[in-house]
Amino acid sequence: MNKGLWGTFSDPRVWLLATFGVAFVMGGLLIAVAGRDPWLAYQALVQGAFGGGAALSETLVNSTPLIFGGLAFALAARSGLFNIGIEGQLVLGGLVAGWMGSLPLGWPRVLHLPLCLGLAAVAGGLWGLLPGILKARNGTHEVITTIMLNYLSFRLTAYLVGPSGPLRSGPLPATAPLVAAARLDPLWSGTRLSGGWLLALGLAALVGFGLFRTRVGFRLRTVGSSPGAAQYAGISVTKVWIGAMVLSGALAGLGGAVEVLGLHYRFYDQFSPGYGFTAIAVGLVGNNHPLGVVWAGLLFGALNNGATAMQTLANTPKDLVQILQSLVIFSVAAVAGLTRKRGGKF
């Protein structure tokens, strides 16, 4: 029984605060070594991320796809799988939502918008289905298959909206603009924050309930802890792994759909700057817990949004913010190693 200092790291809130503090101390030292004022740089970062309604809304906009992707990673990780294919599933979901949203069906929003979101989730889920089957049936490592599928989705979407692609509309590598009934309108006028952010929070609550309050979630976590013990207890590891990859892909696909339907209003090739890859870090920093993922998503969203202010107001290179994000991830790994060494539950 260990409820001392290290035992507290099993709490995702303490975990996140600890890694956050360690990373910012190390980042401050790095900024000082670079000849800049760490205090001024962090003031600019906070102002850029939270200084007023416009800045705060942009932070939430930046955090939205990261929360979707972080949830996708966390759900797969809880079952013992490492879904590195979130980026490909997100891009494919965005494409399907953009294409369906551009069709003039003449349907009301209450039908057209859910159809776009639902099909995007199906597309992402199907993109996760194959790695799940290969893992469960043949033992093929999901990291390899999802990496390969990432490249396939990038090439496929590039072709479909490329110069000779069937979904291209206009001179840009993009689908046609969305019809009004398929758009996620801003929550507040004058901002870009859409209802997708609320959807992300709702799904985080749903994933948390499913993981920790249902029999399905118990089976998923049992397989993730020990597949052999789970199989001995009568749990179908095959079904759990396949189902976890499908649900993970569906969450990622929804993340892409929200970006397209609520921010860009059409699918652009390479619309994602790597949300799916950053989401892996979000999941890890959030300790693969839905609540931790939300906080980690907000942290990374704030860092991304505050980077510009940090550059302009404190003359701090924007690259230092990316280094700061790397330090957060490094701190996660370091604290996790120390926790395990001392018998923690992480």
Side-chain angles (χ1 to χ4, degrees), residues 194-220:
S194 73
W197 183 69
L198 296 178
L199 180 60
L201 295 184
L203 284 175
L206 186 62
V207 170
F209 179 81
L211 278 176
F212 301 108
R213 293 289 185 273
T214 67
R215 182 177 298 178
V216 173
F218 173 76
R219 291 181 175 182
L220 188 146

Side-chain angles (χ1 to χ4, degrees), residues 154-180:
F154 300 156
R155 299 295 179 266
L156 178 63
T157 53
Y159 161 72
L160 290 173
V161 296
S164 58
L167 301 185
R168 185 182 181 114
S169 176
L172 298 174
T175 59
L178 302 179
V179 299

Side-chain angles (χ1 to χ4, degrees), residues 56-299:
L56 181 59
S57 71
E58 280 302 305
T59 292
L60 299 181
V61 168
N62 276 279
S63 70
T64 301
L66 300 179
I67 293 175
F68 276 105
L71 290 173
F73 179 82
L75 195 147
R78 286 284 179 176
S79 72
L81 300 177
F82 196 99
N83 182 11
I84 204 172
I86 296 171
E87 179 71 6
Q89 295 150 8
L90 183 147
V91 168
L92 206 62
L95 173 71
V96 170
W99 169 66
M100 182 55 61
S102 68
L103 299 180
L105 300 178
W107 292 6
R109 177 169 300 184
V110 69
L111 294 177
H112 202 161
L113 183 56
L115 176 67
C116 297
L117 292 170
L119 289 180
V122 169
L126 289 177
W127 214 245
L129 174 63
L130 181 59
I133 292 176
L134 291 174
K135 172 71 175 182
R137 300 290 187 188
N138 305 323
T140 307
H141 205 290
E142 71 279 5
V143 169
I144 297 174
T145 53
T146 51
I147 287 177
M148 295 298 104
L149 286 175
N150 272 345
Y151 284 105
L152 181 57
S153 66
F154 300 156
R155 299 295 179 266
L156 178 63
T157 53
Y159 161 72
L160 290 173
V161 296
S164 58
L167 301 185
R168 185 182 181 114
S169 176
L172 298 174
T175 59
L178 302 179
V179 299
R183 294 189 176 194
L184 274 168
D185 289 334
L187 291 175
W188 294 282
S189 61
T191 72
R192 301 193 305 158
L193 183 64
S194 73
W197 183 69
L198 296 178
L199 180 60
L201 295 184
L203 284 175
L206 186 62
V207 170
F209 179 81
L211 278 176
F212 301 108
R213 293 289 185 273
T214 67
R215 182 177 298 178
V216 173
F218 173 76
R219 291 181 175 182
L220 188 146
R221 289 185 289 115
T222 302
V223 170
S225 299
S226 176
Q231 195 163 19
Y232 185 77
I235 299 174
S236 173
V237 177
T238 299
K239 290 181 179 178
V240 168
W241 275 344
I242 294 175
M245 282 301 294
V246 169
L247 290 175
S248 177
L251 287 168
L254 277 173
V258 165
E259 279 294 289
V260 170
L261 302 177
L263 195 63
H264 303 293
Y265 299 135
R266 66 193 301 185
F267 173 85
Y268 289 95
D269 186 29
Q270 299 182 349
F271 77 95
S272 169
Y275 291 131
F277 298 119
T278 306
I280 295 173
V282 170
L284 292 172
V285 171
N287 199 13
N288 292 324
H289 188 287
L291 179 60
V293 166
V294 170
W295 283 112
L298 291 172
L299 168 63

